[in-house]
Amino acid sequence: MTHQTRPKDKLPVVYTSRAKCRDCYRCVRVCPVQAIRMKDGQAEVITELCIACGTCITACPQQAKAYRTDYNKVLQMMEENHQIAISIAPSFVIYYDEWQQKRLPSALRMAGFSHISETAIGAYQSAKATAEYVSENPHRANVCTACPATVNYVMHEKPELAGFLVEVVSPMIAHAKMLKKTAPKRKVVFAGPCVAKKDEAQWTVNQDLVDAVLTFDELDELLSIRQINLDQCEESSFDDLVPGDASLFPLEGGLLRTAGLKTDMLDEHVIAVSGFREVKDALEALNEKTGNLIIEPMFCKNGCINGPFAGHKHTGIQNRAAILNYAAKQRKPDPANIGSLKSTSTHFDTVQSGKKVDFSEDQIREVLKKTGKLTPSDELNCTACGYPDCRTKAIAVLKGLAEPEMCMPYMRRIAEQKFDTMIDYDPNGIVLLDHELRIIHMNPAFKKMFSCSDALLAKKISYLIDPDPFEQLVTKKVDVYRSKTNYSNYNLLCHLVAYVLPENQHYVGIFMDITDTSSSKEKLRELQSETVIKAQELIEHQISMAQELAKFLGEHTAAGEILMKKLIDSIKK
Ligand code: SF4
Ligand code: SF4
Ligand code: SF4
């Protein structure tokens, strides 16, 4: 094992398409290693910290997270008439239906690949080498994994555990070595469900082995560019047969099974885990005193069958059954003809990301103070910013990963304060009522017009004025009430606009004092238009508050928004 800083020239695997990002923080929330920085309202991937797990790509609701595609590179290799071998990951069984699986080899030949075989052939060699490695190191913890996201996680986040990794090449690398050994000049392309494999192909130790890594989506794109339709291809076989149980590799425990290591779920010395949380917990339990333990971790829940580009057409159980059926049906090669690979060992480089910086309590408190968190009870730990708690978010601000303004309760408070100020200075009387027409809020102009004070809060509006306009809204007789109304008790002639806020069944009344009969119609029009603007601002404020909360809660407010827009239009009329 060696240490390195991440190569500066390393191509980013995952990045943000800036035009599409709507700063919802979902990717920040799901990124297991805090490799996403919010900057100018954009969620930027920090390449040096990213472990290329692909979680943010599938989580982003705007398709704003993207990965580096390689199919153009492959098309260019084809144009340059290179001999190209393609290694197809065993989870193709999940991505393609059974009839498509049988035609895929023909389609790939038509596309221009000269050798078509399954990565499972390399998996068999990896498994054999893993079994040997474990038998040579029986009294320690052995972390056996073919998953580059897991290796990246250890090397970036838990370098102290790197010594437990079994230093054996992954199936992709083993297969690439075999393919290059028989024809050193040919190009090797890998296709699978995984984004992290694009990163693995760039590791220094793997240089010049895999020339391009495609997801199955990219492979489909490439076939479509070459105008190849699977339903017009004939059935044919791959160029090599898969030995042993290597087709089971995409399943949790598949490596251990192929390696002939025990996979009894009750065996305390051999465990297969999948999914980030479980992998993290299992790895964190390891220490120098852990003896005789074999762990097979896979970053995606249930293994590569649930990789970011596995297709996700069927349930997990159906996918597992599909892999088991496919493996059971395969013709096995004659053991005498199974080639072997001598150089199966590898090494992993830990990454000095510079992320682990300690900040003093004073520094953290200073950041918390900036967002109104003066005491621990102000720390709501609501996770709306994408971080698990306010302190972690404050530390992220200090690291330059987050912005103070990402705190939603704080921003809402600021917005409300600003809006309250606007309402307070409005010359029109504004009253807000709850669903039972009790007064929630009155602005100073309203209190002056109706000679009342906050003592009336929580009292019904009928204490003050005729509630009929609001009752018409409650009974849905009208959507918006607009009328000239005489309040003789108060010597007032008002133009009243009243409407409902559908999200919380609150009612708003805006009273324009038009008592002064000497006022010109022009003045009245001005007042009306000012009122519409204020009403619109009030509505839009309510919408944005509802949207912010709904964004966090994952709800859809589109219907509410359309309704409110209609309301604004009807007020304008
Ligand atoms: S998840 Fe949200 S914040 Fe992240 S890239 Fe997508 S839109 Fe932007
Ligand atoms: S690919 Fe994984 S590690 Fe990289 S930014 Fe996305 S979620 Fe984080
Ligand atoms: S579990 Fe499989 S698909 Fe998921 S990151 Fe690991 S190797 Fe890739």
Side-chain angles (χ1 to χ4, degrees), residues 548-562:
E548 277 178 31
L549 284 173
K551 236 194 266 173
F552 171 48
L553 296 170
E555 294 171 359
H556 298 284
T557 54
E561 194 170 331
I562 290 165

Side-chain angles (χ1 to χ4, degrees), residues 381-402:
N381 301 327
C382 69
T383 75
C385 57
Y387 289 91
D389 51 65
C390 301
R391 278 181 74 83
T392 311
K393 147 84 172 18
I395 293 168
V397 170
L398 287 166
K399 285 178 183 167
L401 299 178

Side-chain angles (χ1 to χ4, degrees), residues 18 65 69 134 180 198 212 257 260 279 293 317 324 331 356 360 386 408 420 453 468 496 557 567:
R18 290 180 71 84
K65 284 280 182 282
T69 55
V134 168
K180 291 263 180 184
K198 288 177 183 274
R257 169 78 170 269
V279 167
L293 179 66
I317 290 175
L324 291 171
R331 267 192 314 124
K356 292 193 171 42
S360 70
M408 215 169 276
D420 286 350
S453 70
D468 178 64
L496 168 61
T557 54
L567 211 54

Side-chain angles (χ1 to χ4, degrees), residues 16 20-28 38 43 59-62 64-65:
T16 306
K20 292 185 184 168
C21 177
R22 295 284 172 272
D23 68 334
C24 69
Y25 311 147
R26 195 177 292 183
C27 56
V28 176
M38 290 307 297
C60 173
Q62 300 292 330
K65 284 280 182 282

Side-chain angles (χ1 to χ4, degrees), residues 474-540:
V474 174
T475 55
K476 298 193 169 44
K477 225 165 161 183
V478 290
D479 290 336
V480 179
Y481 180 93
R482 281 188 303 266
S483 176
K484 215 181 276 183
T485 312
N486 195 347
Y487 297 103
S488 50
N489 291 352
Y490 303 96
N491 294 324
L492 273 177
L493 177 63
C494 285
H495 189 86
L496 168 61
V497 176
Y499 55 87
V500 61
L501 297 173
E503 276 83 13
N504 45 21
Q505 281 303 111
H506 286 173
Y507 300 91
V508 179
I510 302 174
F511 299 77
M512 286 146 281
D513 183 356
I514 51 170
T515 317
D516 185 357
T517 47
S518 66
S519 295
S520 65
K521 284 192 174 175
E522 185 53 35
K523 187 180 170 198
L524 183 59
R525 262 202 300 277
E526 268 175 30
L527 277 170
Q528 279 177 326
S529 103
E530 190 182 338
T531 300
V532 167
I533 291 166
K534 296 291 178 199
Q536 187 168 337
E537 281 170 356
L538 181 62
I539 290 166
E540 281 172 358

Side-chain angles (χ1 to χ4, degrees), residues 84-100:
I84 312 170
I86 185 159
S87 171
I88 299 286
S91 42
F92 84 101
V93 174
I94 305 299
Y95 191 87
Y96 293 103
D97 292 335
E98 201 172 339
W99 69 269
Q100 294 173 315

Side-chain angles (χ1 to χ4, degrees), residues 364-373 379 390-391 394:
I364 296 169
R365 289 245 62 88
E366 194 53 39
V367 176
L368 287 168
K369 223 160 81 185
K370 274 190 194 155
T371 50
K373 292 161 185 52
E379 294 169 28
C390 301
R391 278 181 74 83

